[in-house]
Amino acid sequence: MEEEEEEEEEGLNCRAQAQLQGKVLFLTVCAAGIGGTFQYGYNISIINAPTTYIQRFINETWLERTGASLDSGVILLVWSFIVSIYSLGGLAGALIAGPMAIKLGRKTSLLLNNAFVIIAAVFSGFSRMAKSFEMIMLGRFFTGINAGVSMNIQPMYLGESAPKKVRGAVTLTSASFTALGLVLGQVVGIRELLGGEESWPLLLASNVVPGLIQLMTLPWLPESPRYLLIDRGDKESCICALQKLRGNDDLSSELEEMQAEQAAIKGQRAKRPWELFQNPAVRWQLITIIVLSSAMQLCGNDSMYFYASYVFQEAGIPYEKIQYLIIGTGCCELITAVTCNAIIERAGRRLLILGGYSLMAVWAIVFMVALSQQSRISWMPYLSMACIFAYILSFGIGPAGVTGVLPTEIFDQMSRPAAYMICGSLLWSNLFAVGMAFPFIVEGLAHFCYLPFFTVCVCSALYVSFFLPETKGKTFLEISKEFSKRNFKTQTREKFWKGPEEIKSTML
């Protein structure tokens, strides 16, 4: 009887420890996400609702200053700059994210990053009171910096904190929080809430709330164990962080794997972005993130939102109801992001990205055909509407989230921050480029405007099919070795003129 009671007690303790481990990891994910990638999606969507009111404010402010009204073309230009400067801020944030992550740590960088969103909220919230549309520009720029930093550091922090068996799912929550921010931004921006003429400054300043939530919760949670051990050499703090995240599970195998990576990169310092381009040991990793990070914005998913209102109007949806259907498009992305979280550790990374881009290529063709026939066939607007939802669903099921997981998995600790800087720079630069070029693409190609995006989707699917190895369930060292075989394939074939010692020195 006593033995049975002891076994039962041990079982209860194990379950309690597992629950504690799950809670700490869950809280870490939520605290990092709410003030992290959530802000990216939220700040993209909240700017759409007050478009007319801010344009009117720009004209009224200029009229009060100079006594003359602005031409409609100039108002549109100023408005375009307010929207686009968010991308420039994001690019700046992506460039400073790497040095912040290396010098300050992952968690501390996320906490300090909230200073940018607080500054942004002050500028945007008091812009109408100060009668200054320039303050809105500054607010959007600082908001962009905040999003650029969090888009780089959050997946890095979560990927380094998660156990191997759920690393992909945990890192992928970054995409789920982006989609959640997009939906909540659309909801808060409806006219009945903060999307009205009197409340738009409050809407633009509302992004401070997620930042404050993160400042109150994240300090109580652990730093990345890998950062503590490999970057700072602090084994005790690493074990303490692991115990908080894993409970009292056996940490020996995970600690051993970290120490093996620490030994493999001993004596090295954190890489700079340009050094990755010069290093043959990361050639294919670099090509992979360049191709897939560029495709994220060049695939045309964000441009679907540009067409949404027009297509819904053509389908006969009343104007006042369209805002609710737009929320539906955001919900599509959220549903697929959560679904992707649930299946990534079963399906793997490669299949989800390949399937996503392949489906997007199909829907791009159907969408162009539907657009070209909308004026001739009565039911075509409904097909166009279905294509919008299908395109967004296909993007969310793989490319939207899995792309952000890859840099964490395919680069070592010393190269990872630089890799995320390159990813972030490409993401924000291409977002800006597509935003500027898309109206001209529509004007030049008309109903066939998705032909360039179709090409990007096909090329991305082919690249993944032929060149991207599966990383599911592998340690960072195993993934690194797999890429090393490809990076040094040529040297292996030509070893009759290059000895093994020389090859080894090249790799180092």
Side-chain angles (χ1 to χ4, degrees), residues 1-2 52-53 92 109 111 124 236 255 276 304 447 484 494 500:
M1 287 291 290
E2 289 182 4
T52 306
Y53 307 133
S109 296
L111 288 169
S124 300
E236 288 184 10
L255 195 61
L276 297 188
M304 273 293 175
H447 300 311
S484 290
E494 299 168 353

Side-chain angles (χ1 to χ4, degrees), residues 163-178:
K164 179 179 67 175
K165 62 183 179 180
V166 293
R167 185 179 61 223
V170 169
T171 309
L172 194 61
T173 56
S174 300
S176 301
F177 276 98
T178 298

Side-chain angles (χ1 to χ4, degrees), residues 16 19 23 25 57 85-86 98 165 180 198 206 216 218 223 278 287 322 342 395 419 435 480 504:
Q19 288 175 353
K23 284 179 182 177
L25 187 59
F57 170 69
I85 202 170
Y86 179 67
K165 62 183 179 180
L180 179 62
E198 295 303 315
S206 63
M216 290 187 290
L218 191 59
E223 174 61 277
Q278 300 166 352
I287 292 171
I322 288 177
F395 178 73
S480 182
K504 187 178 177 182

Side-chain angles (χ1 to χ4, degrees), residues 409-429:
E409 296 191 322
I410 67 178
F411 285 92
D412 64 31
Q413 193 77 8
M414 294 296 103
S415 302
R416 197 171 292 132
Y420 268 106
M421 287 174 70
I422 294 169
C423 284
S425 300
L426 288 168
L427 188 148
W428 290 101
S429 301

Side-chain angles (χ1 to χ4, degrees), residues 165-238:
K165 62 183 179 180
V166 293
R167 185 179 61 223
V170 169
T171 309
L172 194 61
T173 56
S174 300
S176 301
F177 276 98
T178 298
L180 179 62
L182 189 73
V183 173
L184 287 184
Q186 290 169 340
V187 171
V188 173
I190 63 175
R191 286 182 290 275
E192 291 82 355
L193 294 177
L194 296 181
E197 188 168 7
E198 295 303 315
S199 54
W200 65 260
L202 189 59
L203 174 65
L204 296 185
S206 63
N207 56 11
V208 74
V209 176
L212 293 175
I213 292 173
Q214 186 179 74
L215 285 172
M216 290 187 290
T217 55
L218 191 59
W220 305 101
L221 296 162
E223 174 61 277
S224 156
R226 302 188 82 87
Y227 171 78
L228 292 170
L229 179 65
I230 300 173
D231 288 70
R232 284 176 44 183
D234 190 345
K235 186 177 177 180
E236 288 184 10
S237 296
C238 171

